[in-house]
C-alpha cells in the first residue's frame, strides 16, 4: 500500500484519549498494533496514535487495481473518489473523531449539574462520541445482542474479511472495508454467517440488509441523521427544539429503526447516538440500568424493573440533566463502569509540563500503562454464559412478525 507521511494535530489527552474512546464499545473494527490504532475506513487504512500533546495520523492507499479483487465499498463512509488523498485525511480525522466540540467545557457543564458525573469523570477524560457511518453502526449493534465487545469485534472482522472490499495489506495483515447492504442482501448470506458463528444475528443482518436495499430508497438511512451532525462534507442545519423525549428528528429516526430486524430500543438508540449524530439518544441496557439503580435512585416503585416505561424514564432523566448531549455524558459513565477500566487510578494529565520535543509515540501508553492489564471486555457486569449467547430472545418472534407485516405493507404502498 502507498502511505502518506505521518502528520499531527495539537490535541491533549483531556480532549481525546484514543485508548478509552476506541475501546469503550462504540466502534468494533479498530485494531491496536503496538501503540497505533488502525482501521479501514473511507477507502483507506487510517493509522492513528497520540502522545500527551498531539494526535498523529497516516493514511495508506491501495497501489492499484491489482490489489483490489473486490469492488470499492458503496457505503457512504468509504467513498473517496471525489476527495483528494493529499488533503482529505485530516478532514476525515477531525470528522470521525468528532474533534469540533470543546470536551473540557462539556465535562464542566455536565459536572455542574451532576455530582456523580463530577466524581467519576476526571478518571475518564477524553471520551468522545465518534461520528461513524450509520450502516456500520447499525451492523455493529445488531451484532451486540447478548454479546460482549471482544466477540462483537470478532464478528465484524469476519464480516469484513468475507464480504468487504480488500483495500490492501500492511505487513501480512489484510484490511477490508465494510461490506455494503447490497452485498449482505445476497442469497445464502444468512446461511454462511451462521457457519461463521453469528448465530441468530445472521438472520437479522441479512433481513435488515434486504429491507434497506429493497424496502427503502437509496440513502434512506443517512436521511435519518441529525442535520446538526451531518455526513462529512455536508452543511450543518438546525435540528429543532429540544424536548424532554428529545428532538422530533431523533424520535422519528428511533421509530424508523425499530422497524428493522434485530433492532430494539437499545440498538436503535445506539445507532441514533453513534451513527446518526443524535446526542440525546440514551441507550439503556442492563449495564446502564445498574448504573441508574446504583447512582440515580431508580429500581423502586413503578420503576422497579427495566420495562419500556422505565427505559424511557431513565433516558428522560439523563436528558433532563445533560440536555441534547445526554448520550455523550451517559457514555462516559458507561465507560467508567466497564470492567476493562475498573482498575484505573485517577490520573492527572499535566500536559503543560510535557515538552513537545520529548513526547514520543509511547508516552500515552506510559501515562496509562498502570491503569489496567488487557483482559476480556464485557458490556455488562453479569457474565453471559456462552451457551445462551446464540439463543434468540424469546420475545423476538412476535416482534419479528410485526416488523415483517410492516415491511410487507410498506412494499405494497
Amino acid at each position: 500500500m502507498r502511505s502518506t507521511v505521518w502528520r499531527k494535530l495539537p490535541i491533549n489527552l483531556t480532549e481525546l484519549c484514543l485508548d478509552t474512546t476506541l475501546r469503550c464499545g462504540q466502534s468494533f473494527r479498530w485494531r491496536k498494533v503496538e501503540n497505533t490504532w488502525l482501521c479501514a475506513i473511507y477507502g483507506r487504512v487510517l493509522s492513528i496514535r497520540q502522545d500527551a500533546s498531539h494526535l498523529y495520523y497516516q493514511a495508506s492507499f491501495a497501489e492499484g487495481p491489482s490489489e483490489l479483487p473486490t469492488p470499492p465499498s458503496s457505503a457512504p463512509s468509504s467513498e473517496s473518489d471525489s476527495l483528494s488523498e493529499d488533503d482529505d485525511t485530516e478532514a476525515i480525522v477531525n470528522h470521525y473523531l468528532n474533534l469540533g466540540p470543546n470536551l473540557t467545557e462539556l465535562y464542566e457543564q455536565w459536572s455542574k449539574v451532576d455530582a456523580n458525573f463530577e466524581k467519576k469523570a476526571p478518571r475518564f477524560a477524553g471520551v468522545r462520541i465518534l461520528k461513524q457511518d450509520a450502516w456500520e453502526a447499525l451492523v455493529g449493534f445488531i451484532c451486540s445482542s447478548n454479546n460482549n465487545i471482544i466477540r462483537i469485534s470478532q464478528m465484524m472482522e469476519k464480516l469484513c474479511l468475507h464480504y468487504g472490499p480488500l483495500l490492501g495489506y500492511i505487513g501480512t495483515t489484510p484490511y477490508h472495508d465494510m461490506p455494503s447492504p447490497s452485498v449482505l442482501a445476497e442469497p445464502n448470506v444468512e446461511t454462511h454467517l451462521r457457519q461463521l458463528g453469528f448465530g441468530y444475528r445472521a438472520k437479522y443482518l441479512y433481513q435488515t440488509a434486504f429491507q434497506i436495499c429493497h424496502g427503502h430508497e437509496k440513502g434512506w438511512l443517512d436521511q435519518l441523521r441529525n442535520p446538526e451532525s451531518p455526513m462529512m462534507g455536508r452543511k450543518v442545519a438546525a435540528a429543532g427544539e429540544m424536548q424532554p423525549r428529545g428532538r422530533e428528528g431523533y424520535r422519528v429516526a428511533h421509530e424508523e429503526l425499530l422497524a428493522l430486524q434485530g433492532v430494539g430500543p437499545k440498538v436503535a438508540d445506539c445507532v441514533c447516538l453513534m451513527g446518526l449524530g443524535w446526542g440525546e439518544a440514551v441507550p439503556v441496557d442492563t449495564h446502564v440500568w445498574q448504573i441508574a439503580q446504583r447512582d440515580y435512585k431508580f429500581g423502586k416503585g413503578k420503576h422497579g424493573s427495566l420495562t419500556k416505561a422505565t427505559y424511557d424514564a431513565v433516558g428522560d432523566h439523563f436528558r433532563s440533566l445533560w440536555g441534547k448531549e445526554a448520550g455523550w455524558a451517559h457514555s462516559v459513565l458507561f465507560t467508567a463502569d466497564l470492567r476493562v477500566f475498573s482498575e484505573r487510578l485517577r490520573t492527572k494529565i499535566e500536559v503543560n509540563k510535557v515538552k513537545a520535543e520529548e513526547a514520543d509515540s509511547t508516552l500515552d501508553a506510559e501515562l496509562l500503562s498502570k491503569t489496567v492489564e488487557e483482559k476480556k471486555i464485557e458490556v455488562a457486569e453479569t457474565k453471559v454464559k456462552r451457551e445462551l449467547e446464540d439463543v434468540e430472545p424469546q420475545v423476538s418472534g412476535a416482534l419479528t412478525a410485526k416488523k415483517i407485516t410492516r415491511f410487507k405493507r410498506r412494499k405494497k404502498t
Side-chain angles (χ1 to χ4, degrees):
M1 299 188 77
R2 177 170 53 84
S3 299
T4 64
V5 298
W6 281 93
R7 297 184 174 94
K8 64 181 180 180
L9 295 172
I11 187 167
N12 61 48
L13 293 170
T14 60
E15 286 295 310
L16 171 69
C17 179
L18 290 177
D19 276 356
T20 307
T21 299
L22 299 181
R23 296 167 62 204
C24 67
Q26 293 188 60
S27 178
F28 306 101
R29 293 201 300 124
W30 288 90
R31 64 178 69 172
K32 192 173 186 182
V33 180
E34 296 181 352
N35 66 324
T36 301
W37 291 93
L38 300 96
C39 186
I41 56 174
Y42 287 89
R44 71 205 70 196
V45 178
L46 181 62
S47 303
I48 52 178
R49 54 183 171 85
Q50 70 178 147
D51 58 30
S53 58
H54 287 85
L55 171 70
Y56 301 85
Y57 64 92
Q58 180 187 61
S60 299
F61 299 88
E63 290 286 358
S66 61
E67 291 195 22
L68 294 172
T70 53
S73 171
S74 61
S77 65
S78 298
E79 294 177 353
S80 59
D81 292 345
S82 62
L83 301 174
S84 167
E85 294 177 358
D86 294 330
D87 297 332
D88 71 334
T89 299
E90 180 176 339
I92 288 171
V93 169
N94 276 283
H95 176 82
Y96 183 88
L97 295 176
N98 196 13
L99 298 182
N102 186 310
L103 193 53
T104 301
E105 292 181 359
L106 286 175
Y107 271 48
E108 290 175 352
Q109 292 174 17
W110 298 330
S111 295
K112 286 180 181 178
V113 297
D114 183 9
N116 183 54
F117 187 94
E118 183 180 27
K119 176 183 177 181
K120 293 185 177 180
R123 290 177 293 169
F124 296 90
V127 177
R128 287 189 176 268
I129 294 296
L130 304 173
K131 288 189 176 182
Q132 295 182 74
D133 173 63
W135 167 243
E136 177 176 344
L138 176 60
V139 171
F141 287 107
I142 287 177
C143 290
S144 73
S145 175
N146 287 339
N147 222 339
N148 59 59
I149 293 174
I150 288 179
R151 291 194 73 217
I152 301 167
S153 299
Q154 291 170 347
M155 287 181 177
M156 293 295 282
E157 184 175 5
K158 290 178 182 178
L159 197 70
C160 293
L161 181 64
H162 288 271
Y163 294 99
L166 174 66
L167 300 184
Y169 291 79
I170 294 181
T172 59
T173 304
Y175 283 85
H176 294 253
D177 209 336
M178 275 292 294
S180 67
S182 61
V183 172
L184 296 187
E186 293 292 328
N188 301 321
V189 166
E190 178 182 344
T191 300
H192 187 216
L193 290 180
R194 287 186 181 275
Q195 294 170 350
L196 293 175
F198 282 70
Y200 64 84
R201 304 168 196 87
K203 176 181 68 176
Y204 290 159
L205 291 172
Y206 166 73
Q207 291 181 344
T208 289
F210 190 89
Q211 282 181 257
I212 289 176
C213 289
H214 302 288
H216 297 283
E217 63 182 10
K218 186 177 181 179
W220 164 79
L221 191 57
D222 284 311
Q223 291 174 7
L224 303 178
R225 180 176 288 278
N226 179 0
E228 291 183 358
S229 180
M231 295 172 61
M232 197 179 83
R234 303 286 180 84
K235 292 183 179 180
V236 175
E241 295 294 325
M242 182 66 182
Q243 303 293 330
R245 288 281 169 92
R247 289 163 288 189
E248 182 180 2
Y250 155 64
R251 297 194 299 272
V252 170
H254 191 269
E255 184 65 23
E256 289 285 318
L257 290 171
L258 288 175
L260 299 174
Q261 298 301 306
V263 178
K266 187 209 75 172
V267 170
D269 271 326
C270 286
V271 177
C272 282
L273 175 64
M274 302 167 201
L276 295 173
W278 291 104
E280 65 264 49
V282 179
V284 182
D285 60 2
T286 304
H287 195 70
V288 175
W289 173 233
Q290 291 170 348
I291 295 173
Q293 293 178 90
R294 185 190 65 217
D295 300 329
Y296 295 94
K297 299 182 180 180
F298 279 85
K300 298 179 181 180
K302 63 180 180 180
H303 297 310
S305 59
L306 187 53
T307 62
K308 183 184 184 303
T310 304
Y311 184 102
D312 293 339
V314 172
D316 292 346
H317 178 71
F318 287 154
R319 281 185 282 270
S320 70
L321 277 178
W322 303 314
K324 67 179 184 179
E325 298 295 351
W328 193 335
H330 134 284
S331 296
V332 177
L333 297 184
F334 176 87
T335 301
D337 260 33
L338 283 177
R339 186 171 297 180
V340 70
F341 301 121
S342 62
E343 297 173 12
R344 175 173 290 187
L345 300 175
R346 181 167 182 164
T347 302
K348 294 183 179 179
I349 305 170
E350 301 178 354
V351 177
N352 292 334
K353 293 184 179 180
V354 180
K355 294 181 180 180
E357 61 269 21
E358 294 176 350
D360 58 28
S361 61
T362 63
L363 186 53
D364 182 32
E366 292 171 0
L367 288 171
L368 300 177
S369 62
K370 295 182 181 180
T371 62
V372 63
E373 294 181 357
E374 292 289 346
K375 58 185 177 179
K376 185 175 181 181
I377 307 168
E378 294 182 333
V379 173
E381 290 180 352
T382 304
K383 183 177 180 182
V384 181
K385 293 182 179 179
R386 283 298 297 270
E387 61 265 24
L388 296 179
E389 286 178 335
D390 291 322
V391 178
E392 186 171 0
Q394 295 299 309
V395 296
S396 65
L399 292 176
T400 299
K402 180 179 178 182
K403 290 180 179 180
I404 291 175
T405 300
R406 290 180 61 180
F407 177 59
K408 288 181 178 178
R409 288 175 179 171
R410 182 176 296 174
K411 287 289 289 182
K412 290 180 179 180
T413 60

